[in-house]
Each structure stands twice: as C-alpha cells, then as structure tokens.
Amino acid sequence: MTELTKNQLLELVNTKQVAAGNPRARALTQRIVTDLFKAIDEMDVSADEFWTAMNWLERLGKSGQIGLITAGLGFDRLLDIRADEADAKAGRAGGTPRAIEGPLFVAGAPLSQGEARLDEGEPRGEVFVMEGRVLDLDGQPVAGALIDVWHANEQGGYSHFFPGMKPYELRRQVQADATGHYRFRSFLPPGYAIPPNSPTSELFEALGRHGNRPAHIHFLVVAPGLRTLTTQVNIPGDTYIDDDFAFATRDGLIVELEHGVAPAGYESLGIDAPFTRSRFDFVLQKASNDSEASPAARMARVTA
Ligand code: BEZ
Ligand code: FE
C-alpha cells in the first residue's frame, strides 16, 4: 500500500467494495464518514479526544441509553417534524398531533375494557382521571380502539427501567368501548430526569444542559384502518413545560385540569371524593397503507 493523503484515504473508504452491498447503507455511510473526516480535520480533533468519544460511545451502548441521547439531541423531534412536513406536502391534515414515543415504551401491558386503574387499586398521589373518546377525522367514534398508556412514578421512573418497580407498573392497554370512550385513573406524574452518573448525564453536563422533561403521559393509539398515533400529553404548570430536554412539548397537547370534580359515576374506579379530571379526545387520521396502521411501536417496527 502506498502512502495516502486524507482525501485519498476518504476516497478509498467510500469506494471499497467486494460485493454489491446495500446501496442505501453505502450512501449513508459515505455521507456520515465524509462529514466526520471533515469535522475531525476542521476542528483539529486530537487522538485523545477521538478515543474519549469512542470510549463514551462504547459505554453508552452498554448502558442502554442510546434512546435518551437521540431524544436529547433532538433527533426524535426531528423525525416528527419531518413526518409533519411530509403530511403537509401530501395534504394530510387534522387529528391529534404526534409526539415522540421516547425510549421507555414496553409492549404487552395488561388489557382492560373501557377503563383501567394504573394505580392497581392502591391510591397514590392526587387522584387523577383522564377520559375522552377516540374519534376519526369525521368525528365518528372508533369503537374498540386500543390505547396504550404509560407514565412515570413519583420519582420520575418508568417500570422495566427503574429499579424496584413492578412489571407493567403504571402501564396499561385500555380498549375503548362501543362508543369510543376510554377512561383511566392514576395520579398526576412528575417530570422525568436523565439518570445521574451515566453516559447520558456526562454528555449533558459537558454541554451545559439539563436533562429534565416536564410532567407528561404517553399514548399509543391503534385501530384497524386508522393511522397509529403516538403522542403524549403534558400536565400544565410544570417548570420545564417550555424547556423539555427532549423538545417534545407541542401545542394542542397540554391538557386542562378540572379540580374538585364530583365523584358520582366514578365508583368503578374506586373514587368516592372530589378528584382531578382531564378530558381529552384522540383523533386519528385514516391510514393510507397497512404499515401506517401497524400496532408496533418504533423498535418493534424495525426489529420484526
Ligand atoms: C420520556 O418520555 O420519559 C423520555 C423521552 C426521551 C428521553 C428520555 C425519556
Ligand atoms: Fe416519558
């Protein structure tokens, strides 16, 4: 092998090929490697800086926190903005806005008909009921729509990720009734914070950024022939509502809270005293193909 200049090396890296490979993977890798070569050169990255970054990446992979970094660096919201742009271009409008799934969804939550108690019968925090309907764009109820709902515990932790929580704690799948209605009882969750002393917190400390998300509740809403909706609602009043580390807060997704609601009619949810309620309808677009109506969340879609 002869001596190489940087440009000759890049050319070789980008053109070496012993088989057809995958054209899309080739094109993307070429672009990313070219940009990284350029960044290393222009920013005069030292060998120690480079290997520090590789060590961080290796630890990040082992920590299972890649999904925190993608959200915190704006990639999750970027994909939503791009999807919104594609919809606008295709003349597809209306319905509940999408919002990032985040890395903390777990499939297979216990299924309930019409209503559920996320507190599993053990009252905790301020009693909170969220209720509404699943509708299509014509305002027709979507009978039997499946709503996955998940949120954080009092410490901002999610079951399956936070030590000491029960499997599927604060996760349920609620099937809307024949009139499209759903409701669930839980408590008002606090916000979320990235784990301290972790590869994620290391990066955000180095960037001088906080790692907090405002209080929110996640949803994945699925019904045959309709476009799967991944969204979140925010609880008003949170310090971080306009400063989400994951950039996910959106107009139309901040719920209103009604305090002191009379308990009549809520006995099946174990409520016998005034409580806090929020009404929210999920409005789903028509799916334009089977993939759009798929019940699979983001990782299940790509690993199926
Ligand atoms: C969350 O929804 O809680 C979340 C989203 C992105 C990164 C980390 C957490
Ligand atoms: Fe969350």
Side-chain angles (χ1 to χ4, degrees):
M1 180 63 83
T2 53
E3 294 302 310
L4 294 172
T5 65
K6 288 175 287 191
N7 284 342
Q8 286 167 334
L9 171 63
L10 180 60
E11 179 68 14
L12 260 183
V13 172
N14 281 345
T15 56
K16 252 273 180 272
Q17 199 171 9
V18 294
N22 175 317
R24 181 75 175 155
R26 288 185 62 77
L28 285 168
T29 304
Q30 284 176 8
R31 171 61 188 264
I32 291 165
V33 171
T34 302
D35 287 352
L36 284 177
F37 266 49
K38 206 168 156 204
I40 288 170
D41 216 21
E42 287 178 6
M43 300 192 71
D44 197 19
V45 173
S46 71
D48 280 357
E49 282 179 319
F50 180 83
W51 293 116
T52 299
M54 294 307 109
N55 171 270
W56 178 81
L57 277 178
E58 197 160 308
R59 289 184 292 114
L60 179 68
K62 286 186 187 140
S63 72
Q65 293 179 359
I66 288 176
L68 306 192
I69 297 294
T70 63
L73 293 183
F75 291 101
D76 298 24
R77 182 65 193 269
L78 172 68
L79 297 177
D80 278 355
I81 293 172
R82 282 178 44 77
D84 289 349
E85 281 175 357
D87 282 355
K89 213 165 153 191
R92 299 179 79 181
T96 302
R98 53 168 66 83
I100 71 166
E101 180 183 312
L104 304 170
F105 173 73
V106 179
L111 173 66
S112 314
Q113 295 302 321
E115 63 178 33
R117 280 191 72 165
L118 269 68
D119 65 359
E120 296 174 39
E122 308 237 343
R124 46 205 278 195
E126 180 175 342
V127 176
F128 172 64
V129 171
M130 186 160 156
E131 66 181 320
R133 287 183 303 165
V134 182
L135 303 169
D136 66 17
L137 280 185
D138 299 323
Q140 294 303 310
V142 182
L146 286 168
I147 304 163
D148 261 284
V149 47
W150 68 106
H151 71 71
N153 73 358
E154 294 82 344
Q155 285 78 46
Y158 285 81
S159 56
H160 298 246
F161 298 92
F162 189 78
M165 292 181 73
K166 288 181 286 184
Y168 295 109
E169 187 176 332
L170 303 175
R171 300 175 186 275
R172 283 292 178 277
Q173 196 172 48
V174 185
Q175 182 152 39
D177 68 15
T179 57
H181 278 95
Y182 77 90
R183 67 181 186 179
F184 64 87
R185 170 181 171 169
S186 196
F187 58 90
L188 286 169
Y192 165 91
I194 55 173
N197 308 315
S198 64
T200 304
S201 68
E202 269 175 50
L203 178 69
F204 284 86
E205 276 160 30
L207 297 177
R209 284 185 50 191
H210 71 72
N212 297 292
R213 299 211 59 216
H216 60 277
I217 303 175
H218 296 265
F219 301 94
L220 178 70
V221 189
V222 179
L226 296 175
R227 192 178 199 185
T228 297
L229 173 70
T230 304
T231 196
Q232 313 183 5
V233 298
N234 279 100
I235 315 297
D238 193 292
T239 323
Y240 293 103
I241 202 142
D242 291 317
D243 187 20
D244 180 359
F245 128 96
F247 310 101
T249 315
R250 295 197 70 169
D251 290 344
L253 295 177
I254 301 173
V255 292
E256 278 178 31
L257 299 179
E258 298 167 69
H259 297 283
V261 175
Y266 292 85
E267 295 80 3
S268 59
L269 291 174
I271 296 177
D272 56 11
F275 66 100
T276 299
R277 179 174 69 189
S278 180
R279 295 178 186 273
F280 192 86
D281 291 340
F282 296 101
V283 182
L284 270 52
Q285 293 182 354
K286 210 188 256 305
S288 60
N289 54 51
D290 288 350
S291 171
E292 282 189 356
S294 161
R298 65 186 196 183
M299 283 305 174
R301 284 181 66 84
V302 296
T303 54

